[in-house]
Amino acid sequence: MLLFSSYSTFLLSTIKLVSEVGGVFLSKDRVIHKQKSLAKIMDQSGQEFWASSFADKDIVMVPWNDFIEAYKTYTKNPDLTQQEEKLLKHVLDNSNSGSVTPSRFNDFLLAFSPLSSALQNVKSLFKEKWFHGFLAVEEVKILLRDQPVGTFLVRFSSGKTDSFALEYVEAKDTIRTVKITNEQPKGVKIVEENDNCRRFANLNDLLLNYDYVLKRPFYSDLVHKSWFKGDLTIEEAEDILEYLPIGTFLVHFSDVKPVSYTHLRAHETP
C-alpha cells in the first residue's frame, strides 16, 4: 500500500497515473501547474472529481460541455433536464464564458456542497421567493426603493457564489447590506454589529433568527424573466440588440426614471 505525506501528494500522483494510463505524459512543470489549480478547490470530493475528470485536459479552464458531461457521470445523474443544465450553467458560468475554472467551481461548492447533492441545493435555493441570484448593487437599490421597512432579499455577493448579501430596508431611504459567508457543508456565517460571529445551518435558519427585523421578503417575477436585463444603459442595450433578428427585445431599468422601465426592439440593420 502506498502512503502519501499529504492529500496534495496523492492528487499529484493521481494526475500522473491517469495521464500515463491515458497515454498523455505531462512535463513536471505542467503537473505542478495542474496541482496548483487543484489546490484552489478546497472540497475534497470536488478535488477528486476535477482530478479524475480533467487530468488529460486543460485543467485551468474546462469547456462547459466537457464539464457537464463529467458532472453527470461523477454524480451518476445522466438524465439531467435541459432546465437543470441551464440552471447549473447560470450559477457556474454566469459570465457566459463557455467554461468552468477551478476557482469558480470552488465558489460553487462553498455554497452548495456536497457535490452529490449540489444540484438539489441549487434548485431549492432558487425556489425561495426572497432569493434573487446575481443582482448588482444598483439593481437592489432600485428594487427596494419605496418598499416598507423590513422588506428584504438575498443575492449572490459581488457576482460570485462563495458568499451571499442580505439586503433589507432598515429605515426610509436606508438599505442595509450584510455579508453572509458560505461554509458548506457546515452552514453559513454572519458577523453582527458587535463583531459577534453567528453560524447557522442554512439561510432559512438565519433569516428566521432575525425575523423581528426581516419582516417581508421582496419578490418580483421580473428579475427571473429571461428578457429582463436589469441595470443596463441605453447604449449597452443597443449594443446587445444591434445584430439580432427584427422583433428581438429586452427590458431594463430606465436611465431617466429609475423606477420605470425601457422596452427596446431590435431594429433593421443596414
Side-chain angles (χ1 to χ4, degrees), residues 53-261:
S53 300
F54 310 123
D56 61 338
K57 295 180 173 63
D58 183 357
I59 209 165
V60 179
M61 188 171 289
V62 175
W64 173 256
N65 288 339
D66 291 346
F67 174 86
I68 197 63
E69 289 305 315
Y71 172 84
K72 289 190 285 188
T73 299
Y74 188 86
T75 59
K76 299 178 181 178
N77 192 2
D79 301 318
L80 288 183
T81 66
Q82 185 176 6
Q83 188 61 33
E84 287 172 334
E85 287 192 27
K86 184 178 179 181
L87 182 58
L88 283 174
K89 189 174 191 302
H90 174 68
V91 176
L92 279 158
D93 183 27
N94 185 248
S95 61
N96 290 315
S97 67
S99 61
V100 180
T101 64
S103 294
R104 193 74 181 185
F105 185 55
N106 180 65
D107 291 344
F108 173 76
L109 290 175
L110 283 173
F112 302 109
S113 66
L115 184 58
S116 58
S117 56
L119 175 59
Q120 187 55 48
N121 294 338
V122 172
K123 291 166 66 175
S124 296
L125 180 61
F126 274 80
K127 286 179 181 177
E128 298 289 356
K129 288 186 175 182
W130 40 259
F131 185 69
H132 293 270
F134 296 96
L135 280 183
V137 173
E138 290 304 314
E139 292 171 331
V140 170
K141 291 179 180 178
I142 294 171
L143 291 171
L144 293 182
R145 181 180 288 126
D146 298 326
Q147 294 295 322
V149 172
T151 303
F152 70 94
L153 61 81
V154 178
R155 63 179 173 88
F156 287 126
S157 178
S158 304
K160 298 174 67 178
T161 61
D162 63 341
S163 59
F164 297 113
L166 167 63
E167 313 273 2
Y168 68 96
V169 182
E170 185 178 44
K172 182 176 173 58
D173 299 325
T174 303
I175 298 171
R176 187 73 173 272
T177 302
V178 180
K179 183 177 180 179
I180 303 171
T181 303
N182 279 314
E183 295 183 340
Q184 296 299 346
K186 297 177 182 178
V188 295
K189 179 178 70 175
I190 192 171
V191 179
E192 297 179 327
E193 287 183 343
N194 58 3
D195 292 332
N196 181 41
C197 182
R198 296 285 303 277
R199 286 181 169 82
F200 300 89
N202 51 57
L203 283 172
N204 271 308
D205 284 358
L206 184 151
L207 297 175
L208 285 172
N209 185 74
Y210 299 101
D211 62 1
Y212 58 93
V213 174
L214 309 173
K215 300 181 182 298
R216 176 179 174 269
F218 176 83
Y219 178 72
S220 171
D221 281 334
L222 181 66
V223 296
H224 301 291
K225 301 297 184 182
S226 61
W227 40 259
F228 181 66
K229 302 303 179 183
D231 190 27
L232 288 181
T233 65
I234 292 291
E235 291 75 17
E236 289 171 333
E238 289 177 345
D239 286 343
I240 291 172
L241 293 172
E242 185 173 4
Y243 297 107
L244 295 177
I246 296 172
T248 303
F249 72 93
L250 60 80
V251 176
H252 68 99
F253 289 122
S254 171
D255 290 341
V256 181
K257 296 180 180 180
V259 294
S260 64
Y261 308 102

Side-chain angles (χ1 to χ4, degrees), residues 23-42:
V24 179
F25 296 91
L26 305 177
S27 67
K28 182 179 179 180
D29 288 344
R30 190 176 175 190
V31 169
I32 292 173
H33 180 62
K34 286 179 178 287
Q35 185 187 20
K36 289 180 178 179
S37 296
L38 281 170
K40 295 177 181 179
I41 303 173
M42 293 183 284

